[in-house]
Amino acid sequence: MSAPILESATHDDAIMALRRERILTATGLAAEQFLSESNHRTAFQAALRLLGEATAVSRVYVFQSVPSDGGESLWSQRHEWCAEGIAPQIDNPDLQNLSMVDAGFSRWVKELSAGRAIFGPVREFPEAERPILFAQQIRSLVVMPVQVHGRLWGMIGFDDCLSEQGWNEAIVSCLRVAARVLGAAYERMDYKTHRDHLLDDYQLLLNSVREVIFRVGDEGRWSFLSPAWAELTGWSIAESLGRPCTDFIDPEFLGTARTTMVGLFSGQVETSRWEGRVRLADGGSRWFVVNARRLPTAPGRGAEIVGTLIDVDDTKRAELALIEAKRAAEAANRAKSEFLSTMSHELRTPLNAVIGLTESLIEDGATLEPVRTQRYLEIIHRSGKQLLAQINDVLDLARIEAGQIRLVPARVDLSSVCSSAVEGSRRSAEAKRLVLTFTRPPAPLCVMADEKLLRQVLNNLVSNAIKFTPEGGQITLGASLSEAGLATITVRDTGIGIPPEKLALLFKPFSQVDSSLARKYGGTGLGLTLVDRLVRLHGGTVDVASETNRGSVFTLSLPLAGSPSVSSP
Ligand code: ADP
């Protein structure tokens, strides 16, 4: 008689083993769903279906318990799978924000909180629990606690509406594994949401900081650049990443950039800070303070540098402008001091001659030979004229600077003004055996100018040419119409020329190419400044081209008569 019992026991065991195996297989597949499916709702649906089919139940569902303001937790159904023909409960309003205690399920809360499952036929459940369960046609069920981060998060339930399925500890322990998988899936989701929030936060931070945050890899190439890079330099991040960072450094600062990178990569220094210009996409450049630090080498990664680029362009340019202004003020001050010393030297020389020679005439005049007296008088006369010319220069410039020169414009023929300049200087040119000529233009050229002032300009240029051209040289004046439609006068000499670095100083007041007192040529350094100011008053410009020891060409460009040009001071 015992054999059939044994046989049936073996048969039941086999069925049980099969049920358990099906549940565990489904649990494994459900876990895979959670890992592979990025949409968590889809993953839950698939997992519940797998578990429902494996357990052959009518419904599988998940409830979440959320603490309410009142302190009690409210339970809501979140996911559900139903077998065919079974009424879903996911939209049942009674199963949302449900107070388990009020609904008569305090036993469930207690059991689930203690980590225990509730299972069995509903008819054997306490009376208070039955109505709500029968209302859902449930005949037997299993509910398992779902724990997330070690706390009761909710429950997973399996309803049987068609029969009273026999649940036992062996099956329930398999379902416990499924509940754990579910809990782990929620933990992972939580972690992912947390991570996404963190990433969003970092992105927000990166987007809002004005500083560029960068990372440079072992080969000195950008491996990360924050959005401020594109904003401040105009280079897109995509085109910059992977390129050597030195490609973006202004050539003037390449040396510094390379030295600091070598120092950081080799570990000689841990941090560095330097100031330099970065090349911009539009061809310009911008000042940045570069702060860089060597990252501790991570396994599998080469050495890396991280840091920030802080935009200091406005302050740096303002600082440089201040330095330049200070330098210019100092240079002007120096030029003024030099002027004072050369000026007094220039004035003293003819004055000393006047005083010395007049003293001789007073003391020995009666006995001096007439020829000698005549020579003394000539020197005194020349010195007086020289003094007057110098004082006139100073006064003229002062009047121009004070806006007190009044032009008397009239139609002036360039040929006539140039010819008279040549004639006026012929004697001093001949005294140095210089050939002084004027090449007439093919057709008459007229400008509206103050003739007296224009003569003064030409006389200045011609007397400079004579002064700075050694004996035997040539000085040529020319007048022509430029391509731009301007009347031009050129004064060309074959003299000592002007070194290129001094050209910029020429038209600045009190500037002389050689400002030492021991210089070879006299002068106050005001002549060309006067020329420049006077020509500008006429709406024109002066240019100079020169080559040391070959000669110089000064070119005046003036608007032709009829053009609206001559400005009032
Ligand atoms: P200065 O009274 O000293 O001649 P200018 O303003 O006329 O003052 O000239 C300034 C300086 O420019 C001169 O000292 C000289 O060094 C240089 N310079 C002017 N003209 C010539 C020229 N034709 N050739 C060479 N140097 C010149």
Side-chain angles (χ1 to χ4, degrees):
M1 287 299 286
S2 62
I5 294 170
L6 192 66
E7 254 174 45
S8 95
T10 319
H11 177 72
D12 283 354
D13 284 352
I15 289 179
M16 189 61 66
L18 198 67
R19 276 182 75 190
R20 291 186 54 176
E21 195 187 312
R22 285 180 65 190
I23 294 172
L24 290 175
T25 308
T27 305
L29 291 173
E32 252 173 47
Q33 283 295 322
F34 287 126
L35 290 175
S36 59
E37 176 58 58
S38 57
N39 181 321
H40 80 272
R41 184 154 286 280
T42 317
F44 270 99
Q45 278 318 118
L48 294 194
R49 182 179 54 75
L50 283 162
L51 290 169
E53 286 169 359
T55 47
V57 292
S58 311
R59 286 190 205 102
V60 186
Y61 46 85
V62 173
F63 270 72
Q64 184 182 6
S65 140
V66 179
S68 71
D69 291 344
E72 190 200 353
S73 290
L74 298 179
W75 295 66
S76 296
Q77 195 170 15
R78 293 282 183 241
H79 304 280
E80 183 190 48
W81 168 85
C82 285
E84 240 178 78
I86 302 297
Q89 298 300 314
I90 190 81
D91 295 324
N92 182 349
D94 291 345
L95 304 182
Q96 295 298 321
N97 297 319
L98 175 72
S99 158
M100 294 285 249
V101 178
D102 292 354
F105 285 83
S106 29
R107 174 178 79 105
W108 285 36
V109 177
K110 212 173 113 208
E111 290 299 296
L112 292 172
S113 302
R116 287 190 289 269
I118 293 156
F119 62 93
V122 173
R123 62 184 163 76
E124 290 176 5
F125 282 12
E127 204 181 327
E129 297 173 5
R130 275 181 256 150
I132 199 166
L133 299 174
F134 280 141
Q136 298 168 57
Q137 285 88 40
I138 307 171
R139 296 181 63 183
S140 80
L141 60 76
V142 184
V143 288
M144 307 282 314
V146 174
Q147 296 201 321
V148 173
H149 301 304
R151 280 206 304 273
L152 180 65
W153 174 91
M155 63 182 180
I156 177 168
F158 301 80
D159 291 351
D160 208 337
C161 301
L162 303 177
S163 63
E164 270 185 12
Q165 206 176 121
W167 299 106
N168 60 28
E169 273 301 341
I171 298 290
V172 168
S173 68
C174 291
L175 294 179
R176 209 179 282 281
V177 179
R180 269 197 218 115
V181 165
L182 206 72
Y186 268 106
E187 266 177 27
R188 188 161 170 268
M189 247 166 57
D190 239 24
Y191 159 75
K192 272 178 75 181
T193 318
H194 180 65
R195 192 195 59 186
D196 289 351
H197 277 145
L198 267 184
L199 286 177
D200 286 352
D201 269 3
Y202 283 135
Q203 196 58 47
L204 193 78
L205 272 177
L206 283 181
N207 288 348
S208 39
V209 286
R210 278 273 301 166
E211 288 75 26
V212 180
I213 299 169
F214 68 79
R215 183 140 94 182
V216 175
D218 208 359
E219 284 165 6
R221 294 167 190 274
W222 298 122
S223 58
F224 175 82
L225 284 162
S226 66
W229 169 257
E231 210 177 294
L232 291 171
T233 65
W235 301 107
S236 82
I237 302 217
E239 71 184 318
S240 312
L241 289 182
R243 280 178 61 187
C245 58
T246 42
D247 280 7
F248 298 86
I249 305 290
D250 186 281
E252 194 187 329
F253 298 92
L254 267 180
T256 319
R258 289 201 177 109
T259 317
T260 29
M261 269 211 295
V262 168
L264 286 165
F265 276 125
S266 66
Q268 282 167 343
V269 287
E270 278 301 309
T271 57
S272 81
R273 185 182 189 282
W274 56 282
E275 240 179 32
R277 280 199 309 273
V278 167
R279 289 176 44 229
L280 305 183
D282 66 7
S285 64
R286 207 178 181 94
W287 281 95
F288 284 96
V289 167
V290 185
N291 282 305
R293 171 181 290 277
R294 183 176 200 266
L295 271 188
T297 339
R301 294 188 79 121
E304 284 180 303
I305 296 172
V306 286
T308 53
L309 301 176
I310 302 168
D311 172 23
V312 289
D313 201 60
D314 289 350
T315 38
K316 191 69 195 176
R317 282 185 200 275
E319 183 189 318
L320 290 178
L322 269 180
I323 293 172
E324 176 54 27
K326 184 166 170 269
R327 202 200 53 76
E330 281 167 0
N333 202 25
R334 239 187 346 265
K336 225 161 223 171
S337 311
E338 276 169 8
F339 164 73
L340 284 179
S341 71
T342 48
M343 189 68 189
S344 48
H345 173 81
E346 289 300 320
L347 294 179
R348 255 190 222 126
T349 315
L351 263 180
N352 283 339
V354 170
I355 293 167
L357 293 174
T358 44
E359 269 173 11
S360 295
L361 285 174
I362 291 164
E363 281 168 20
D364 311 322
T367 56
L368 271 181
E369 289 169 29
V371 190
R372 184 166 273 227
T373 310
Q374 173 70 23
R375 257 196 54 220
Y376 283 6
L377 287 173
E378 274 172 15
I379 296 173
I380 292 168
H381 183 244
R382 204 166 54 241
S383 301
K385 277 180 72 176
Q386 195 183 332
L387 271 174
L388 183 65
Q390 281 168 354
I391 290 164
N392 278 344
D393 274 1
V394 176
L395 293 179
D396 282 352
L397 189 65
R399 276 164 58 216
I400 293 176
E401 301 277 318
Q404 283 173 353
I405 276 214
R406 205 160 296 280
L407 295 191
V408 187
R411 202 178 165 83
V412 179
D413 177 33
L414 293 192
S415 293
S416 102
V417 78
C418 287
S419 301
S420 62
V422 165
E423 284 320 310
S425 301
R426 185 160 308 285
R427 277 185 57 196
S428 37
E430 278 170 3
K432 279 183 84 177
R433 295 197 299 109
L434 299 170
V435 181
L436 175 61
T437 52
F438 167 53
T439 317
R440 283 175 180 279
L445 277 173
C446 290
V447 293
M448 284 301 284
D450 187 312
E451 189 166 346
K452 201 173 123 247
L453 297 179
L454 190 54
R455 274 176 202 281
Q456 190 179 341
V457 166
L458 279 180
N459 286 339
N460 261 323
L461 293 179
V462 174
S463 64
N464 272 349
I466 292 171
K467 183 156 66 169
F468 297 107
T469 304
E471 290 207 358
Q474 274 193 1
I475 296 162
T476 321
L477 268 72
S480 60
L481 187 63
S482 78
E483 278 179 12
L486 295 169
T488 62
I489 302 176
T490 50
V491 179
R492 184 184 299 273
D493 65 54
T494 56
I496 60 170
I498 302 155
E501 70 278 7
K502 302 283 187 180
L503 283 177
L505 291 174
L506 281 193
F507 302 107
K508 297 227 165 88
F510 317 128
S511 302
Q512 288 182 318
V513 172
D514 177 3
S515 56
S516 62
L517 283 181
R519 68 196 195 278
K520 193 168 158 194
Y521 305 95
T524 52
L526 285 180
L528 286 180
T529 312
L530 261 176
V531 166
D532 178 64
R533 301 291 194 276
L534 288 173
V535 172
R536 276 207 254 159
L537 279 180
H538 285 83
T541 54
V542 198
D543 293 299
V544 57
S546 188
E547 219 179 309
T548 321
N549 298 325
R550 298 290 295 267
S552 312
V553 189
F554 285 82
T555 307
L556 305 184
S557 302
L558 292 163
L560 279 173
S563 337
S565 55
V566 179
S567 62
S568 299

